[in-house]
Amino acid sequence: MTATLPIAPASALDALDALESEAIHIFREVAGEFDRPVILFSGGKDSTLLVHLAVKAFAPAPVPFPLLHVDTGHNYPEVIDFRDRLVERLGLRLEVAHVQDWIDDGRLVERPDGTRNPLQTVPLLDTINEHRFDAVFGGGRRDEERARAKERIMSLRDSFGRWDPRKQRPELWNLYNGRHAPGEHVRVFPISNWTELDVWRYIQREGIELPSIYYAHQREVFRRDGMWLAEGPWGGPRGDEALVKKSVRYRTVGDGSCTGAVESTATTLDEVIAEVTASRLTERGATRADDRLSEAAMEDRKREGYF
Amino acid sequence: MTRDLLRFATAGSVDDGKSTLVGRLLYDTKSVLADQIEAVQRASVDKGLSTPDLSLLVDGLRAEREQGITIDVAYRYFGTPKREFVLADTPGHVQYTRNTVTGASTAELAVLLVDARNGVVEQTRRHAAVLALLRVPRLVLAINKIDLVDYDEGVARAIEKDFDELARTLGFASDAVVTIPVSALAGDNVVERSERTPWYEGPTLLGHLESVPVTGPEVAAPFRMPVQYVIRPRKDELHDYRGYAGQVAAGTVAPGDEVVVLPGGARTTVAAVRTADGPLDSAAAGRSVTVLLDDDIDISRGDVLASAAEPPRVTDELDATLCWLAEKPLRPGARLLLKHGTRVTQVIVGAVGERLSLDSDVPLWEPAPEQLGINDIAHASLRTADPLPVDEYADIRATGSFLLIDPPTGNTLAAGLVGTPLAVAR
């Protein structure tokens, strides 16, 4: 006995519409199944995209989640300004966890290299516990890094906030299983299936405003480990590292100590997209020093509870 | 510029070169950037290899690199001027069923690898049966390592013939399966046409992936939409706004359509189909929308909006096929949770029926085992606490599928398919 498998006609959705619909579906699943979700927000392009998609998922009602910014204290002023304007314009609630508070009361110790990116994990987990957040949205994408390629869209974290890649739940169809015990939470990645170029094309299509540092501008930078870093309260430049003025832009927004700028003259979205298309480096390879620490730097941080 | 998206999965046994094939696809479509290649070159030199090991591009976990195997499904992205691709890269290791089910559940096409030296082996039959069970609409049989059989046409034709017989038995239509001889290591017929297989006239693997029609998620089926969330703005100017948010799971919906709300059974008419960007003339499967209705009916998360003319069956007694994915065995009488669409309800597992045996040349249903273990596929009868609007999985994937969840741990135990989607001999 045999049956013939059906072949349905082509779907009309283009790639960006399909990705948008998937992300909106994920936001609505979480709103329907969890009590206290929160959106991690850094002011970067991916988390700004998340907020835009959340607005679209619940329109014309307001976004039913607050934002959480884990602030390393090593910020670009343009990003903080952008964050505050966005929150104001959309009428969102913003929680800020200042890494400095954890250093001041001794729960964290400043690292010798001055970078605070790895120090974000403890303030993040403490804040999740304190507010009893049960679903934490992040802008992580599987194309960013090999360990992130293994991440589920809804990913359980134990009561220590840890990720165990060998114990992930299978993710079948679009039936997401977000069940968790008290004290555990779920990380949710609505833009898992987007690439850096998808993000930029969508930002262009939707006219999404970003912090100005994503576009080429004149900035005083210095060279360290092959990256152009900006001066900042984290202790750069040191010794014989000389500041020079360059036309640069950022591909990611993170802690100032480890996020490099790229030389660029791209001042418009068209120019940025052309530059990203032609680039021979990934965004993390180009501009994130912390991923260069070891072969498995991201996996190790994620296991500890980093997003 | 509009390009569509093809979601596909790989399958095949250990050491038949899946990671290398995926690495080759990424490398030859220039989807791998210089820093990633440098990292692979460094790691290959460290391992004492003379050429870069492309599988290192995709094996992302520490343990995978240490053991040289792929442990878990990973997702890869690449694009060409014609199309964007999401690839579920599944491991071929012992946990075959679990991983193949995970990768295949959302795939519109699967690339099944065989080693040209070994041809169709037990693992090929298992994977093909699971892909047929999951109703993956299209299949590519990639005969890999064709360089190791001296690009011999006879070898490839024999494997193709063997596989065609299997595919027919499993219910794949003849135009749904394409066979391509490749060498992932040397790059033959993956992205570039090979001059060493002059007898092969079909497309390269990438050429086929770029041109195969994207099977939309059941656009032609009757309308189904599980309600995810009720949108009530509670603002003065939108005082009476009540929008039902969801992703169209099958068919299309348009203003004026008559719909039924299930399991309750109330009927009404669609007043508007909206997104945040405004009203739509119609929305097809895959699109997330908000539906407004003519009548004020009590509707909440878990309900399903469906075509009034062709509604799903509403039942609390399910005959289903289960793919058991967990270490913890299933015993008849177990009380579990079931997630169908946007509804979670309690379920009691009744009798476990026949189990699919994948050990012989063709899959066979064999007498019921006492309990189900990891990777078992079997029929079971289930009784649910709430009535569910279901379709046969063979007709509509979205409303014919469900999860079984372990109440104490919350773990996903099984993939469930309503009915008997694999019609093979008993």
Side-chain angles (χ1 to χ4, degrees):
Chain A
M1 190 162 99
T2 61
T4 301
L5 295 171
I7 293 177
S11 155
L13 285 190
D14 79 13
L16 286 181
D17 284 334
L19 292 171
E20 180 194 63
S21 278
E22 179 181 67
I24 286 173
H25 172 78
I26 294 161
F27 271 114
R28 289 167 168 177
E29 279 300 282
V30 170
E33 294 215 332
F34 291 80
D35 294 326
R36 298 177 66 83
V38 68
I39 300 176
L40 283 179
F41 184 77
S42 66
K45 66 180 188 317
D46 298 313
S47 55
T48 301
L49 177 63
L50 277 192
V51 172
H52 180 86
L53 289 163
V55 168
K56 292 188 91 165
F58 301 101
V63 175
F65 320 120
L67 306 185
L68 169 61
H69 181 204
V70 180
D71 181 350
T72 64
H74 297 161
N75 298 299
Y76 302 91
E78 297 94 328
V79 175
I80 297 299
D81 172 62
F82 170 81
R83 176 194 78 185
D84 293 342
R85 279 188 294 116
L86 181 90
V87 166
E88 172 77 26
R89 177 165 58 83
L90 297 176
L92 296 167
R93 210 169 78 238
L94 172 71
E95 300 284 345
V96 182
H98 295 278
V99 172
Q100 188 65 51
D101 293 346
W102 273 256
I103 293 172
D104 288 347
D105 66 16
R107 282 178 286 174
L108 283 176
V109 176
E110 193 92 76
R111 291 161 52 101
D113 63 4
T115 183
R116 287 182 176 177
N117 220 33
L119 298 189
Q120 293 179 78
T121 301
V122 170
L124 171 66
L125 295 177
D126 285 352
T127 307
I128 289 171
N129 280 339
E130 180 196 339
H131 290 268
R132 290 178 288 114
F133 291 129
D134 54 2
V136 180
F137 290 103
R141 305 190 322 265
R142 289 167 175 158
D143 82 321
E144 283 179 80
E145 207 276 337
R146 286 184 298 187
R148 281 204 167 150
K150 299 272 168 180
E151 179 65 273
R152 298 289 188 262
I153 286 173
M154 273 196 203
S155 180
L156 187 68
R157 294 295 192 270
D158 70 10
S159 58
F160 290 89
R162 289 178 308 179
W163 179 62
D164 185 344
R166 300 191 97 145
K167 285 193 189 154
Q168 301 195 87
R169 292 173 178 164
E171 212 151 68
L172 302 152
W173 299 289
N174 60 357
L175 294 171
Y176 300 109
N177 173 7
R179 294 192 78 83
H180 59 282
E184 297 176 342
H185 70 277
V186 170
R187 299 283 171 88
V188 187
F189 302 99
I191 61 167
S192 282
N193 287 325
W194 299 51
T195 64
E196 184 186 14
L197 257 181
D198 292 329
V199 169
W200 279 108
R201 288 186 186 128
Y202 187 77
I203 283 166
Q204 182 177 48
R205 181 179 105 171
E206 302 281 305
I208 298 169
E209 189 194 343
L210 291 182
S212 57
I213 64 170
Y214 278 107
Y215 302 97
H217 57 287
Q218 295 288 322
R219 186 178 284 266
E220 295 231 295
V221 290
F222 66 91
R223 198 85 174 148
R224 181 186 294 171
D225 297 337
M227 291 198 311
W228 291 110
L229 297 176
E231 88 180 297
W234 49 276
R238 290 191 297 250
D240 58 356
E241 296 166 338
L243 282 171
V244 286
K245 200 161 214 175
K246 290 232 164 250
S247 176
V248 295
R249 65 174 205 90
Y250 286 84
R251 280 174 78 177
T252 64
V253 164
D255 187 71
S257 63
C258 61
T259 306
V262 292
E263 288 187 71
S264 169
T265 55
T267 56
T268 66
L269 272 165
D270 281 335
E271 288 165 358
V272 169
I273 289 171
E275 195 179 276
V276 171
T277 308
S279 172
R280 299 302 303 144
L281 292 177
T282 62
E283 60 181 295
R284 292 204 156 257
T287 65
R288 285 298 182 91
D290 47 336
D291 288 341
R292 299 178 177 183
L293 294 176
S294 85
E295 270 281 286
M298 174 68 86
E299 179 183 346
D300 294 344
R301 285 208 307 279
K302 281 169 62 67
R303 281 175 180 277
E304 290 163 12
Y306 189 80
F307 49 91
Chain B
M1 174 195 55
T2 63
R3 293 185 300 167
D4 55 18
L5 185 70
L6 179 74
R7 291 177 196 255
F8 73 107
T10 56
S13 40
V14 191
D15 291 334
D16 58 10
K18 273 195 311 298
S19 293
T20 309
L21 180 72
V22 172
R24 172 63 63 187
L25 269 175
L26 297 175
Y27 187 82
D28 283 3
T29 55
K30 306 200 167 36
S31 311
V32 185
L33 300 181
D35 52 318
Q36 294 169 315
I37 294 171
E38 276 164 29
V40 165
Q41 279 163 345
R42 252 196 332 269
S44 301
V45 170
D46 289 349
K47 288 171 72 179
L49 302 173
S50 54
T51 53
D53 178 358
L54 290 180
S55 72
L56 293 174
L57 282 172
V58 296
D59 286 335
L61 299 174
R62 207 183 258 287
E64 292 178 325
R65 288 193 296 276
E66 282 163 8
Q67 298 172 39
I69 58 162
T70 310
I71 290 171
D72 200 351
V73 180
Y75 294 85
R76 315 282 164 200
Y77 306 87
F78 62 99
T80 68
K82 292 189 180 146
R83 186 169 268 177
E84 302 265 351
F85 299 95
V86 175
L87 161 58
D89 180 14
T90 68
H93 228 250
V94 250
Q95 292 144 334
Y96 29 81
T97 311
R98 176 192 162 103
N99 290 311
T100 312
V101 169
T102 300
S105 71
T106 52
E108 293 145 301
L109 178 148
V111 178
L112 180 55
L113 271 85
V114 295
D115 184 324
R117 295 168 302 175
N118 305 329
V120 172
V121 295
E122 183 189 334
Q123 195 84 310
T124 319
R125 289 190 291 269
R126 286 173 182 277
H127 282 142
V130 174
L131 297 171
L133 182 76
L134 272 283
R135 313 292 288 190
V136 176
R138 290 171 188 279
L139 214 57
V140 172
L141 179 73
I143 303 177
N144 191 25
K145 306 190 185 180
I146 195 73
D147 50 326
L148 298 184
V149 295
D150 297 326
Y151 300 94
D152 186 289
E153 177 176 11
V155 171
R157 296 284 177 220
I159 296 172
E160 181 176 27
K161 184 166 170 292
D162 275 1
F163 188 76
D164 267 358
E165 263 171 48
L166 175 67
R168 281 316 86 70
T169 314
L170 293 171
F172 284 101
S174 56
D175 60 349
V177 184
V178 169
T179 304
I180 306 177
V182 302
S183 165
L185 196 68
D188 297 289
N189 294 330
V190 178
V191 170
E192 303 293 337
R193 263 205 99 67
S194 174
E195 288 169 7
R196 290 173 286 207
T197 53
W199 44 269
Y200 173 70
E201 289 172 348
T204 62
L205 176 60
L206 183 70
H208 180 64
L209 294 173
E210 280 182 321
S211 59
V212 68
V214 168
T215 313
E218 293 142 328
V219 176
F223 169 62
R224 306 283 184 262
M225 189 186 97
V227 174
Q228 284 188 284
Y229 194 78
V230 182
I231 294 180
R232 297 219 54 190
R234 299 179 204 283
K235 295 177 195 163
D236 286 347
E237 71 272 27
L238 294 165
H239 188 74
D240 294 325
Y241 186 102
R242 239 171 165 359
Y244 301 101
Q247 188 170 27
V248 180
T252 59
V253 61
D257 286 357
E258 205 195 338
V259 293
V260 58
V261 183
L262 296 170
R267 287 171 175 246
T268 181
T269 309
V270 173
V273 178
R274 302 187 65 93
T275 70
D277 297 315
L280 296 175
D281 293 337
S282 77
R287 180 147 239 172
S288 286
V289 294
T290 303
V291 173
L292 286 85
L293 300 173
D294 274 344
D295 299 292
D296 202 2
I297 302 170
D298 177 21
I299 301 173
S300 54
R301 177 176 169 83
D303 290 339
V304 174
L305 301 181
S307 155
E310 296 176 90
R313 172 166 62 98
V314 177
T315 179
D316 58 3
E317 302 271 348
L318 290 180
D319 282 317
T321 304
L322 301 180
C323 303
W324 198 256
L325 308 173
E327 304 279 350
K328 181 175 175 171
L330 170 70
R331 293 186 180 85
R335 287 171 180 270
L336 305 172
L337 296 171
L338 181 150
K339 184 169 187 184
H340 173 257
T342 54
R343 183 182 292 267
V344 176
T345 185
Q346 294 181 53
V347 62
I348 296 178
V349 180
V352 173
E354 297 154 306
R355 191 177 76 108
L356 187 66
S357 165
L358 296 165
D359 296 332
S360 49
D361 278 1
V362 288
L364 285 173
W365 293 101
E366 63 179 23
E370 225 158 84
Q371 58 182 45
L372 289 189
I374 187 163
N375 295 316
D376 274 346
I377 295 169
H379 292 144
S381 59
L382 310 171
R383 193 161 63 82
T384 57
D386 298 305
L388 299 174
V390 297
D391 291 288
E392 296 284 302
Y393 184 83
D395 296 333
I396 305 185
R397 261 170 151 186
T399 38
S401 56
F402 59 87
L403 305 181
L404 292 183
I405 297 170
D406 190 31
T409 62
N411 288 335
T412 300
L413 298 174
L417 297 81
V418 177
T420 50
L422 188 63
V424 299
R426 299 200 139 73

PDB file of all heavy atoms in Angstrom, chain B residues 254-276:
ATOM      1  N   ALA B 254      -9.602  35.590   4.717  1.00  0.00           N
ATOM      2  CA  ALA B 254      -9.892  36.893   4.121  1.00  0.00           C
ATOM      3  C   ALA B 254     -11.167  37.449   4.748  1.00  0.00           C
ATOM      4  O   ALA B 254     -12.007  36.677   5.232  1.00  0.00           O
ATOM      5  CB  ALA B 254     -10.062  36.743   2.610  1.00  0.00           C
ATOM      6  N   PRO B 255     -11.317  38.759   4.738  1.00  0.00           N
ATOM      7  CA  PRO B 255     -12.562  39.345   5.249  1.00  0.00           C
ATOM      8  C   PRO B 255     -13.755  38.759   4.498  1.00  0.00           C
ATOM      9  O   PRO B 255     -13.688  38.533   3.291  1.00  0.00           O
ATOM     10  CB  PRO B 255     -12.403  40.840   4.949  1.00  0.00           C
ATOM     11  CG  PRO B 255     -10.929  41.059   4.854  1.00  0.00           C
ATOM     12  CD  PRO B 255     -10.364  39.787   4.300  1.00  0.00           C
ATOM     13  N   GLY B 256     -14.833  38.496   5.226  1.00  0.00           N
ATOM     14  CA  GLY B 256     -16.025  37.913   4.622  1.00  0.00           C
ATOM     15  C   GLY B 256     -16.087  36.402   4.737  1.00  0.00           C
ATOM     16  O   GLY B 256     -17.147  35.804   4.544  1.00  0.00           O
ATOM     17  N   ASP B 257     -14.948  35.747   5.059  1.00  0.00           N
ATOM     18  CA  ASP B 257     -14.938  34.287   5.198  1.00  0.00           C
ATOM     19  C   ASP B 257     -15.771  33.860   6.405  1.00  0.00           C
ATOM     20  O   ASP B 257     -15.695  34.473   7.474  1.00  0.00           O
ATOM     21  CB  ASP B 257     -13.499  33.766   5.424  1.00  0.00           C
ATOM     22  CG  ASP B 257     -12.663  33.808   4.165  1.00  0.00           C
ATOM     23  OD1 ASP B 257     -13.202  34.191   3.104  1.00  0.00           O
ATOM     24  OD2 ASP B 257     -11.464  33.477   4.249  1.00  0.00           O
ATOM     25  N   GLU B 258     -16.510  32.777   6.229  1.00  0.00           N
ATOM     26  CA  GLU B 258     -17.232  32.225   7.364  1.00  0.00           C
ATOM     27  C   GLU B 258     -16.305  31.272   8.125  1.00  0.00           C
ATOM     28  O   GLU B 258     -15.674  30.397   7.515  1.00  0.00           O
ATOM     29  CB  GLU B 258     -18.486  31.476   6.897  1.00  0.00           C
ATOM     30  CG  GLU B 258     -19.541  31.427   7.993  1.00  0.00           C
ATOM     31  CD  GLU B 258     -20.640  30.392   7.728  1.00  0.00           C
ATOM     32  OE1 GLU B 258     -20.843  30.016   6.570  1.00  0.00           O
ATOM     33  OE2 GLU B 258     -21.257  29.963   8.726  1.00  0.00           O
ATOM     34  N   VAL B 259     -16.213  31.469   9.448  1.00  0.00           N
ATOM     35  CA  VAL B 259     -15.308  30.630  10.244  1.00  0.00           C
ATOM     36  C   VAL B 259     -16.056  30.032  11.420  1.00  0.00           C
ATOM     37  O   VAL B 259     -17.099  30.541  11.847  1.00  0.00           O
ATOM     38  CB  VAL B 259     -14.080  31.418  10.772  1.00  0.00           C
ATOM     39  CG1 VAL B 259     -13.177  31.842   9.631  1.00  0.00           C
ATOM     40  CG2 VAL B 259     -14.498  32.611  11.619  1.00  0.00           C
ATOM     41  N   VAL B 260     -15.500  28.952  11.936  1.00  0.00           N
ATOM     42  CA  VAL B 260     -16.051  28.324  13.118  1.00  0.00           C
ATOM     43  C   VAL B 260     -14.980  28.370  14.212  1.00  0.00           C
ATOM     44  O   VAL B 260     -13.785  28.267  13.919  1.00  0.00           O
ATOM     45  CB  VAL B 260     -16.522  26.880  12.810  1.00  0.00           C
ATOM     46  CG1 VAL B 260     -15.384  26.023  12.259  1.00  0.00           C
ATOM     47  CG2 VAL B 260     -17.141  26.212  14.017  1.00  0.00           C
ATOM     48  N   VAL B 261     -15.440  28.603  15.445  1.00  0.00           N
ATOM     49  CA  VAL B 261     -14.510  28.682  16.570  1.00  0.00           C
ATOM     50  C   VAL B 261     -14.566  27.349  17.308  1.00  0.00           C
ATOM     51  O   VAL B 261     -15.624  26.957  17.813  1.00  0.00           O
ATOM     52  CB  VAL B 261     -14.902  29.831  17.528  1.00  0.00           C
ATOM     53  CG1 VAL B 261     -13.872  29.935  18.650  1.00  0.00           C
ATOM     54  CG2 VAL B 261     -15.032  31.142  16.784  1.00  0.00           C
ATOM     55  N   LEU B 262     -13.438  26.656  17.354  1.00  0.00           N
ATOM     56  CA  LEU B 262     -13.428  25.318  17.942  1.00  0.00           C
ATOM     57  C   LEU B 262     -12.514  25.267  19.166  1.00  0.00           C
ATOM     58  O   LEU B 262     -11.550  26.015  19.223  1.00  0.00           O
ATOM     59  CB  LEU B 262     -12.941  24.312  16.886  1.00  0.00           C
ATOM     60  CG  LEU B 262     -13.884  24.194  15.673  1.00  0.00           C
ATOM     61  CD1 LEU B 262     -13.237  23.392  14.561  1.00  0.00           C
ATOM     62  CD2 LEU B 262     -15.220  23.596  16.082  1.00  0.00           C
ATOM     63  N   PRO B 263     -12.849  24.433  20.153  1.00  0.00           N
ATOM     64  CA  PRO B 263     -13.842  23.356  20.107  1.00  0.00           C
ATOM     65  C   PRO B 263     -15.279  23.789  20.364  1.00  0.00           C
ATOM     66  O   PRO B 263     -16.183  22.956  20.247  1.00  0.00           O
ATOM     67  CB  PRO B 263     -13.363  22.416  21.223  1.00  0.00           C
ATOM     68  CG  PRO B 263     -12.661  23.297  22.203  1.00  0.00           C
ATOM     69  CD  PRO B 263     -12.030  24.372  21.389  1.00  0.00           C
ATOM     70  N   GLY B 264     -15.552  25.051  20.684  1.00  0.00           N
ATOM     71  CA  GLY B 264     -16.902  25.466  21.053  1.00  0.00           C
ATOM     72  C   GLY B 264     -17.938  25.272  19.957  1.00  0.00           C
ATOM     73  O   GLY B 264     -19.049  24.804  20.200  1.00  0.00           O
ATOM     74  N   GLY B 265     -17.608  25.674  18.733  1.00  0.00           N
ATOM     75  CA  GLY B 265     -18.501  25.453  17.610  1.00  0.00           C
ATOM     76  C   GLY B 265     -19.265  26.673  17.144  1.00  0.00           C
ATOM     77  O   GLY B 265     -20.057  26.586  16.205  1.00  0.00           O
ATOM     78  N   ALA B 266     -19.049  27.849  17.777  1.00  0.00           N
ATOM     79  CA  ALA B 266     -19.754  29.059  17.334  1.00  0.00           C
ATOM     80  C   ALA B 266     -19.286  29.449  15.940  1.00  0.00           C
ATOM     81  O   ALA B 266     -18.120  29.273  15.598  1.00  0.00           O
ATOM     82  CB  ALA B 266     -19.490  30.193  18.319  1.00  0.00           C
ATOM     83  N   ARG B 267     -20.215  29.986  15.138  1.00  0.00           N
ATOM     84  CA  ARG B 267     -19.867  30.419  13.783  1.00  0.00           C
ATOM     85  C   ARG B 267     -19.967  31.921  13.676  1.00  0.00           C
ATOM     86  O   ARG B 267     -20.844  32.545  14.284  1.00  0.00           O
ATOM     87  CB  ARG B 267     -20.821  29.797  12.765  1.00  0.00           C
ATOM     88  CG  ARG B 267     -20.549  28.325  12.564  1.00  0.00           C
ATOM     89  CD  ARG B 267     -21.603  27.666  11.728  1.00  0.00           C
ATOM     90  NE  ARG B 267     -21.200  26.296  11.478  1.00  0.00           N
ATOM     91  CZ  ARG B 267     -20.882  25.824  10.266  1.00  0.00           C
ATOM     92  NH1 ARG B 267     -20.949  26.602   9.200  1.00  0.00           N
ATOM     93  NH2 ARG B 267     -20.502  24.585  10.127  1.00  0.00           N
ATOM     94  N   THR B 268     -19.076  32.501  12.870  1.00  0.00           N
ATOM     95  CA  THR B 268     -19.132  33.932  12.633  1.00  0.00           C
ATOM     96  C   THR B 268     -18.384  34.232  11.337  1.00  0.00           C
ATOM     97  O   THR B 268     -17.952  33.313  10.639  1.00  0.00           O
ATOM     98  CB  THR B 268     -18.541  34.727  13.831  1.00  0.00           C
ATOM     99  OG1 THR B 268     -18.644  36.128  13.574  1.00  0.00           O
ATOM    100  CG2 THR B 268     -17.081  34.368  14.051  1.00  0.00           C
ATOM    101  N   THR B 269     -18.255  35.532  11.038  1.00  0.00           N
ATOM    102  CA  THR B 269     -17.621  35.944   9.793  1.00  0.00           C
ATOM    103  C   THR B 269     -16.411  36.809  10.109  1.00  0.00           C
ATOM    104  O   THR B 269     -16.425  37.580  11.065  1.00  0.00           O
ATOM    105  CB  THR B 269     -18.623  36.747   8.938  1.00  0.00           C
ATOM    106  OG1 THR B 269     -19.825  35.993   8.850  1.00  0.00           O
ATOM    107  CG2 THR B 269     -18.090  37.018   7.548  1.00  0.00           C
ATOM    108  N   VAL B 270     -15.378  36.674   9.288  1.00  0.00           N
ATOM    109  CA  VAL B 270     -14.175  37.479   9.471  1.00  0.00           C
ATOM    110  C   VAL B 270     -14.464  38.920   9.041  1.00  0.00           C
ATOM    111  O   VAL B 270     -14.909  39.156   7.913  1.00  0.00           O
ATOM    112  CB  VAL B 270     -13.005  36.899   8.644  1.00  0.00           C
ATOM    113  CG1 VAL B 270     -11.793  37.816   8.698  1.00  0.00           C
ATOM    114  CG2 VAL B 270     -12.663  35.505   9.141  1.00  0.00           C
ATOM    115  N   ALA B 271     -14.265  39.859   9.966  1.00  0.00           N
ATOM    116  CA  ALA B 271     -14.515  41.267   9.648  1.00  0.00           C
ATOM    117  C   ALA B 271     -13.264  41.899   9.037  1.00  0.00           C
ATOM    118  O   ALA B 271     -13.361  42.711   8.113  1.00  0.00           O
ATOM    119  CB  ALA B 271     -14.925  42.027  10.905  1.00  0.00           C
ATOM    120  N   ALA B 272     -12.086  41.539   9.552  1.00  0.00           N
ATOM    121  CA  ALA B 272     -10.853  42.128   9.033  1.00  0.00           C
ATOM    122  C   ALA B 272      -9.687  41.229   9.383  1.00  0.00           C
ATOM    123  O   ALA B 272      -9.727  40.480  10.363  1.00  0.00           O
ATOM    124  CB  ALA B 272     -10.624  43.519   9.622  1.00  0.00           C
ATOM    125  N   VAL B 273      -8.650  41.272   8.527  1.00  0.00           N
ATOM    126  CA  VAL B 273      -7.393  40.580   8.802  1.00  0.00           C
ATOM    127  C   VAL B 273      -6.336  41.675   8.827  1.00  0.00           C
ATOM    128  O   VAL B 273      -6.169  42.401   7.844  1.00  0.00           O
ATOM    129  CB  VAL B 273      -7.070  39.546   7.703  1.00  0.00           C
ATOM    130  CG1 VAL B 273      -5.740  38.865   7.982  1.00  0.00           C
ATOM    131  CG2 VAL B 273      -8.185  38.517   7.592  1.00  0.00           C
ATOM    132  N   ARG B 274      -5.656  41.813   9.964  1.00  0.00           N
ATOM    133  CA  ARG B 274      -4.745  42.949  10.104  1.00  0.00           C
ATOM    134  C   ARG B 274      -3.345  42.497  10.499  1.00  0.00           C
ATOM    135  O   ARG B 274      -3.161  41.453  11.104  1.00  0.00           O
ATOM    136  CB  ARG B 274      -5.260  43.909  11.181  1.00  0.00           C
ATOM    137  CG  ARG B 274      -6.640  44.468  10.956  1.00  0.00           C
ATOM    138  CD  ARG B 274      -6.953  45.532  12.002  1.00  0.00           C
ATOM    139  NE  ARG B 274      -6.064  46.679  11.848  1.00  0.00           N
ATOM    140  CZ  ARG B 274      -6.360  47.754  11.121  1.00  0.00           C
ATOM    141  NH1 ARG B 274      -7.509  47.833  10.491  1.00  0.00           N
ATOM    142  NH2 ARG B 274      -5.511  48.747  11.026  1.00  0.00           N
ATOM    143  N   THR B 275      -2.367  43.325  10.157  1.00  0.00           N
ATOM    144  CA  THR B 275      -1.067  43.279  10.810  1.00  0.00           C
ATOM    145  C   THR B 275      -0.821  44.688  11.334  1.00  0.00           C
ATOM    146  O   THR B 275      -1.659  45.577  11.126  1.00  0.00           O
ATOM    147  CB  THR B 275       0.076  42.902   9.842  1.00  0.00           C
ATOM    148  OG1 THR B 275       0.274  43.999   8.938  1.00  0.00           O
ATOM    149  CG2 THR B 275      -0.227  41.634   9.063  1.00  0.00           C
ATOM    150  N   ALA B 276       0.311  44.902  11.980  1.00  0.00           N
ATOM    151  CA  ALA B 276       0.615  46.238  12.484  1.00  0.00           C
ATOM    152  C   ALA B 276       0.706  47.249  11.336  1.00  0.00           C
ATOM    153  O   ALA B 276       0.579  48.450  11.541  1.00  0.00           O
ATOM    154  CB  ALA B 276       1.921  46.210  13.270  1.00  0.00           C
TER     155      ALA B 276
END
